[in-house]
Amino acid sequence: MRRKGFFQTWLLCVVMALTVSAHLVEGQIRYTIPEEMTVGSFVGNIGTDLGLEPKRLVSGKARVFTTGDSEYVGLDREKGHLIVKERIDREQLCGELSACSTSFNVILENPIELYRVNVDILDINDNSPVFPRGEIEIEISELAPPGARFSLESAIDPDVGRNTLQTYILHPTDNFNLNIQSRADGSKNVEMVLQTALDREQKTNHYLTLTAVDGGKPQRSGTAKIHILVLDVNDNAPVFSQSSYKTSVVENAAKGTFVTTVSATDADETNYNIQYYFEHPSATVKALFTIDSESGEVSVKGEIDYEKHKQFKIKVTAKDHGGLTDSSEILIDVIDANDITPKITIMSFSGALPEDAGLGTVVAIINIQDLDSGDNGRVTCSLDRDLPFKIESSLTNDYSLVTDSTLDREQTQEYNITITAADGGSPPLSSKETLTLKISDVNDHAPQFQQQTYNAYVLENNSPSVSIISVKAEDADWGPNARVSYFVAGGYLNGDPLTSYISINSDSGVIYAVKSFDFEQLKSFRIQVKAQDGGSPPLSSNTTLNIFIQDQNDNAPQILYPVQTSSSVVAEMVPRSADVGYLVTKVVAVDVDSGQNAWLSYKLQKATDRALFEVGAQNGEIRTVRQVTDKDAVKHRLTVVVEDNGQPSRSATVIVNVAVADSFPEVISEFTNFNHDTTYSDNLTFYLILALAVVSVLFIFSLIAIISVKIYRWRQNRLFYKSAPNLPVIPYYPPVYADGTLQRVYNYEMCGTTDSRMSDIKFVRPYSQNTLVNMSRAGTVQREKKEQEEEDDLSLEVRLFFTVLTDLAFICTRCCHSVQCYVLVCLLNS
Ligand SMILES: *[C@@H]1O[C@H](CO)[C@@H](O)[C@H](O)[C@H]1NC(C)=O
Ligand SMILES: *[C@@H]1O[C@H](CO)[C@@H](O)[C@H](O)[C@H]1NC(C)=O
């Protein structure tokens, strides 16, 4: 039975599927309805299908009994119809099961009958495929290779069979294809396959539409939008805008000074965050420059010194987020600033220079350096003006300081030489160095006497060792070169060395007399004083010192005539016929002093008859004042005082006997009367004869001498004119001597006595000649000296001798006169 029923059921199903009509099945019945029928729709007529009378249904209180929650199908007892009581959704009821049915029982009472009813529910295409999300976001790396698969969410279509999802369609298909795979359970797996590579840099977003379609009729579909975001991959390295950046920076630029900006671009959008940094910077670069890693701005960080680094080459790297890099180079030229002052180094400097250093003598070697370049480092070296030095450039940076003119320590002892080194920058920098150069002394100056000649006057009879004068010589040099010592040049005076006359203090130049001078012996002399410095070799100079000895009135006048004897009986004879002014005789006196001290005046001190004689105050001539008369006594005795003009004056007296008589006998008788001595008379006769003979001989000699002198003079004159016409040959007598002294004697051609001292007369000679003699004595070779002396002396002596002879001759003639008188008187007496 059950087998039969199963078969029937199966058959029914087939029929129902074809006819959709109810079939009556005994005890069990099956209906087929589509889902989603409206409520109240007819499902089947169980009255007929089960053969039940409607009355029975009513009486039997037929009802639907279901075990489930919901009662989809209800019973209309009246009609015996089964109707849709609730909406039937197959998808809800059965899900994915394609065969879907619901079953319930129809229960009748009185008698109880139970029927089972199966209602097969057929699917209708009431659902479209639906994607879980209408929009699908997919991020795909741009590096995804072709062939890469991206599974998509499947769409869902609750329908079953043909009504369910059949396939997918993708649009557009530029980059992607769909790959649909059926799973074992019949569901479909859909994936996108990348056909051509994506490039974010070309297209970032791709919008696709995925359509899912089912197989129902009419076909239903659902779409999903696919948004593909191409993910950026760091596939582009940053690229610097320049392969190298050239720039420059001034040295000593302040910190933070902008140098340059490097920039790199990166095609990768998401990787724009580029970092800049120096690649393996040296310590110097690190210290001097900094780069802003964000902006790429390079700025100064430390102190840039051109003199250390003239150029910097810095490698710079730009790195993107993904680690891709590019590198470039920054070339920074450092521009020189004139920041270095020239440096002066004295390489060699002696500090002192002798004043006789020649032109071009190197004083110092100087090195001047300026590390700046170009004009900033071009140094010019200069000195103060008006210095006797100059700078010579020898090597690039070496200069020598040399003398440019002659030096003189006596003018400038020390030079401050300021060397200025300036560079050519703008503004220029300069530095100075001062050298103090001492000029050392060289013995180039001889001592200089303050006077060319010195005249010293010393009174005669001085005390020995009195200081006469002080000479001084100055030496412009310094130190030992200026230490002056004084010496008296050697020489002789009157046969004695000069040093026996004077001495000099070699340090002070004070000149002392060594002995007491006698004006009457030495009126003046001349010495050479030598001043010598202490240099090596020493330098010296001479001065002439004339020492004049000044006269003191230390000599009384000396009476030359008349000759005074102890018992003089010599008398001058005055004839009675003598007129007024008759020259009786002349008192001849000399004073060896000079000047006022030798200015003699004559006075008649005592006289027998004052009215008869007078003495010329100036000339000593005794003349008659009045006519001699017969009454006048024969014998007269006159005392004449000769006085010099010195202070105090000195004087001498002489007694002159005058006989006023016409004949010798008269005189003799007169004189012998009061002065007669027989023994004396005997002797006298002999002496007179002897005197006569001597005088005669002398007279003859005098004549011979006069003649020879005349000849010699004539020759001498010729010699003088030839050799030294300037030299005076005629002796010069100072005018002060002209009055009343010896010169008058010559005028009267009176004889001098043998007392006349040669030396006295000798010093009347011109001074210059005397000096010449002395000097020649001192200076020349011995033999020459002697010859010269002899010759000089000869001419001089001869002249003197001549003078003396003239005097003698005069005196002799007078003597003869007297002697003859005596001789005659004697003869007569005897
Ligand atoms: C040189 O300089 C020094 C020191 O400044 C100074 O004492 C001296 O007088 C100067 N000499 C000259 C000749 O200017
Ligand atoms: C100084 O005098 C001496 C001797 O009198 C002489 O030799 C010398 O040349 C003189 N010197 C000078 C500088 O006049």
Side-chain angles (χ1 to χ4, degrees):
M1 167 109 173
R2 273 197 74 164
R3 244 186 210 183
K4 192 179 165 185
F6 179 76
F7 175 74
Q8 282 176 333
T9 305
W10 178 79
L11 191 68
L12 183 69
C13 285
V14 172
V15 169
M16 275 176 68
L18 292 171
T19 63
V20 197
S21 57
H23 291 279
L24 185 60
V25 178
E26 201 179 333
Q28 192 167 357
I29 192 156
R30 177 170 295 263
Y31 297 100
T32 300
I33 58 166
E35 60 174 330
E36 301 287 353
M37 292 182 70
T38 54
V39 173
S41 297
F42 173 76
V43 176
N45 192 338
I46 59 165
T48 52
D49 293 339
L50 290 174
L52 297 169
E53 291 288 326
K55 287 176 194 167
R56 172 62 188 142
L57 290 173
V58 175
S59 62
K61 293 180 188 170
R63 55 184 168 100
V64 170
F65 175 77
T66 180
T67 55
D69 293 338
S70 42
E71 218 176 285
Y72 293 109
V73 177
L75 179 61
D76 185 355
R77 278 184 223 153
E78 314 300 321
K79 291 179 189 167
H81 289 174
L82 286 173
I83 55 169
V84 174
K85 196 177 169 189
E86 265 180 58
R87 189 182 77 91
I88 304 167
D89 187 1
R90 189 203 72 81
E91 283 75 30
Q92 198 179 6
L93 196 63
C94 300
E96 288 176 5
L97 292 172
S98 57
C100 180
S101 65
T102 182
S103 60
F104 54 88
N105 294 321
V106 176
I107 299 170
L108 289 125
E109 296 172 1
N110 303 326
I112 294 172
E113 287 175 75
L114 187 66
Y115 300 94
R116 179 144 187 101
V117 178
N118 282 319
V119 178
D120 291 334
I121 297 165
L122 293 175
D123 182 42
I124 64 165
N125 194 17
D126 60 343
N127 286 297
S128 297
V130 174
F131 285 97
R133 284 177 292 165
E135 213 159 279
I136 303 168
E137 295 266 352
I138 305 176
E139 292 182 339
I140 302 175
S141 162
E142 59 180 329
L143 276 190
R149 294 155 183 272
F150 304 92
S151 60
L152 300 174
E153 277 176 304
S154 302
I156 294 160
D157 193 338
D159 295 332
V160 294
R162 284 199 61 81
N163 289 339
T164 193
L165 184 86
Q166 293 303 307
T167 189
Y168 294 94
I169 299 160
L170 187 66
H171 178 83
T173 52
D174 299 340
N175 294 92
F176 293 97
N177 269 349
L178 280 183
N179 179 26
I180 305 166
Q181 287 169 333
S182 294
R183 294 199 193 99
D185 63 351
S187 66
K188 298 231 172 354
N189 191 20
V190 62
E191 0 173 81
M192 275 189 322
V193 180
L194 185 63
Q195 293 295 309
T196 51
L198 297 172
D199 187 356
R200 180 185 162 99
E201 286 72 40
Q202 276 183 3
K203 194 170 180 189
T204 310
N205 294 299
H206 296 261
Y207 296 96
L208 306 174
T209 309
L210 180 66
T211 310
V213 292
D214 60 17
K217 283 192 195 289
Q219 198 175 38
R220 282 174 170 268
S221 65
T223 57
K225 286 194 170 9
I226 301 176
H227 173 210
I228 294 174
L229 179 66
V230 181
L231 288 182
D232 191 31
V233 167
N234 192 21
D235 55 346
N236 286 290
V239 176
F240 271 108
S241 56
Q242 295 171 27
S243 62
S244 75
Y245 295 85
K246 282 193 92 127
T247 184
S248 59
V249 64
V250 179
E251 72 170 318
N252 302 326
K255 285 178 191 176
T257 302
F258 169 82
V259 178
T260 187
T261 301
V262 295
S263 74
T265 50
D266 192 325
D268 294 330
E269 226 176 296
T270 52
N271 288 294
Y272 64 89
N273 192 8
I274 297 174
Q275 303 256 318
Y276 301 95
Y277 56 89
F278 295 143
E279 191 179 320
H280 305 305
S282 64
T284 315
V285 168
K286 241 193 247 177
L288 296 182
F289 297 101
T290 181
I291 188 165
D292 188 315
S293 64
E294 299 284 320
S295 64
E297 193 177 288
V298 178
S299 54
V300 175
K301 184 176 156 197
E303 288 210 345
I304 301 168
D305 188 357
Y306 174 86
E307 285 67 42
K308 287 186 189 154
H309 305 280
K310 306 212 168 3
Q311 198 189 47
F312 291 97
K313 195 185 262 191
I314 309 174
K315 282 210 138 201
V316 64
T317 300
K319 182 170 150 192
D320 65 19
H321 217 55
L324 293 179
T325 60
D326 187 21
S327 56
S328 180
E329 206 175 52
I330 310 174
L331 292 174
I332 303 172
D333 287 324
V334 180
I335 298 167
D336 184 39
N338 192 20
D339 61 338
I340 294 186
T341 46
K343 185 165 176 260
I344 302 177
T345 314
I346 308 297
M347 295 167 72
S348 136
F349 172 57
S350 60
L353 199 65
E355 58 181 322
D356 62 350
L359 286 189
T361 304
V362 176
V363 178
I365 294 176
I366 303 147
N367 180 277
I368 300 175
Q369 275 201 317
D370 189 330
L371 292 175
D372 288 327
S373 66
D375 281 347
N376 292 340
R378 193 168 300 126
V379 175
T380 46
C381 189
S382 62
L383 289 181
D384 289 352
R385 266 179 295 153
D386 306 331
L387 282 180
F389 302 98
K390 63 179 176 183
I391 291 277
E392 276 178 0
S393 135
S394 39
L395 292 169
T396 334
N397 290 325
D398 291 344
Y399 299 84
S400 37
L401 178 67
V402 298
T403 54
D404 193 24
S405 66
T406 52
L407 303 173
D408 187 3
R409 191 204 64 85
E410 284 70 41
Q411 269 185 4
T412 316
Q413 298 187 1
E414 185 186 75
Y415 289 96
N416 282 341
I417 308 167
T418 301
I419 300 159
T420 307
D423 62 24
S426 161
L429 295 174
S430 66
S431 58
K432 289 183 179 213
E433 183 77 37
T434 299
L435 301 178
T436 300
L437 178 68
K438 289 214 170 3
I439 306 300
S440 57
D441 190 41
V442 167
N443 193 20
D444 56 352
H445 286 84
Q448 283 298 321
F449 279 102
Q450 286 169 338
Q451 288 168 241
Q452 200 70 36
T453 55
Y454 287 85
N455 293 327
Y457 300 90
V458 56
L459 268 179
E460 62 177 330
N461 303 320
N462 57 293
S463 64
S465 85
V466 73
S467 87
I468 298 171
I469 193 174
S470 167
V471 295
K472 184 150 182 64
E474 270 160 4
D475 193 312
D477 290 324
W478 181 84
N481 293 340
R483 194 177 303 132
V484 181
S485 306
Y486 303 91
F487 306 95
V488 173
Y492 291 86
L493 181 61
N494 298 336
D496 296 326
L498 274 173
T499 47
S500 68
Y501 287 83
I502 50 120
S503 70
I504 190 162
N505 183 320
S506 68
D507 289 332
S508 63
V510 176
I511 291 170
Y512 301 94
V514 171
K515 64 178 179 184
S516 184
F517 296 116
D518 182 1
F519 176 81
E520 285 68 40
Q521 283 180 16
L522 182 62
K523 291 193 171 49
S524 71
F525 60 100
R526 152 178 301 199
I527 58 168
Q528 294 287 307
V529 178
K530 181 174 164 194
Q532 178 173 300
D533 63 25
S536 168
L539 295 174
S540 65
S541 63
N542 292 337
T543 190
T544 304
L545 172 60
N546 295 319
I547 297 173
F548 296 102
I549 292 147
Q550 286 177 316
D551 188 37
Q552 265 186 337
N553 195 20
D554 59 343
N555 287 288
Q558 287 177 343
I559 313 287
L560 296 182
Y561 183 84
V563 182
Q564 297 292 294
T565 56
S566 54
S567 54
S568 171
V569 287
V570 176
E572 302 292 333
M573 262 186 47
V574 177
R576 289 198 180 271
S577 57
D579 273 343
V580 175
Y582 175 82
L583 176 62
V584 178
T585 186
K586 178 180 167 70
V587 177
V588 177
V590 290
D591 192 319
V592 291
D593 294 326
S594 64
Q596 297 275 316
N597 295 337
W599 192 347
L600 302 180
S601 59
Y602 303 83
K603 257 192 302 187
L604 188 58
Q605 198 185 38
K606 267 195 269 173
T608 320
D609 187 352
R610 271 195 171 269
L612 187 56
F613 301 103
E614 65 168 10
V615 174
Q618 301 293 317
N619 48 25
E621 288 172 353
I622 300 175
R623 289 177 184 268
T624 54
V625 181
R626 58 173 173 82
Q627 185 77 42
V628 180
T629 62
D630 293 343
K631 285 177 221 161
D632 288 326
V634 175
K635 215 173 74 178
H636 291 269
R637 192 185 174 93
L638 308 176
T639 308
V640 176
V641 178
V642 183
E643 230 175 27
D644 64 23
N645 204 25
Q647 285 292 336
S649 70
R650 288 167 178 265
S651 62
T653 55
V654 62
I655 294 166
V656 180
N657 291 317
V658 179
V660 179
D662 282 332
S663 61
F664 276 111
E666 193 181 348
V667 174
I668 291 160
S669 62
E670 191 63 33
F671 276 86
T672 46
N673 276 349
F674 55 81
N675 200 8
H676 191 261
D677 189 345
T678 46
T679 49
Y680 170 77
S681 191
D682 290 340
N683 288 338
L684 188 66
T685 312
F686 169 73
Y687 285 127
L688 284 172
I689 293 165
L690 186 66
L692 188 64
V694 168
V695 167
S696 303
V697 170
L698 276 172
F699 187 68
I700 291 159
F701 270 117
S702 299
L703 282 179
I704 295 164
I706 288 164
I707 292 160
S708 48
V709 162
K710 289 277 181 195
I711 293 163
Y712 184 81
R713 257 191 184 178
W714 172 76
R715 209 180 118 241
Q716 192 74 8
N717 278 354
R718 285 179 60 104
L719 271 176
F720 267 115
Y721 282 119
K722 263 188 212 162
S723 60
N726 290 339
L727 278 176
V729 285
I730 297 157
Y732 165 75
Y733 298 96
V736 70
Y737 297 92
D739 247 4
T741 53
L742 270 180
Q743 198 170 12
R744 280 292 169 93
V745 178
Y746 307 145
N747 290 347
Y748 286 90
E749 295 192 332
M750 272 187 77
C751 347
T753 60
T754 42
D755 289 345
S756 294
R757 275 178 290 185
M758 308 278 275
S759 61
D760 290 349
I761 298 165
K762 200 161 137 189
F763 280 108
V764 183
R765 287 176 303 171
Y767 178 73
S768 57
Q769 249 177 342
N770 193 10
T771 321
L772 271 176
V773 172
N774 287 336
M775 281 177 74
S776 67
R777 271 179 186 165
T780 49
V781 184
Q782 204 72 2
R783 182 180 287 176
E784 269 179 13
K785 191 177 79 179
K786 260 186 185 163
E787 281 171 8
Q788 179 74 30
E789 254 177 61
E790 276 165 14
E791 203 166 297
D792 275 345
D793 282 354
L794 187 64
S795 65
L796 207 65
E797 298 303 317
V798 161
R799 272 206 306 280
L800 285 168
F801 187 56
F802 166 72
T803 318
V804 170
L805 283 181
T806 319
D807 293 347
L808 274 177
F810 173 80
I811 291 171
C812 281
T813 46
R814 294 296 292 197
C815 287
C816 285
H817 176 70
S818 306
V819 168
Q820 279 166 357
C821 299
Y822 280 104
V823 169
L824 281 173
V825 168
C826 293
L827 287 176
L828 283 172
N829 277 359
S830 57

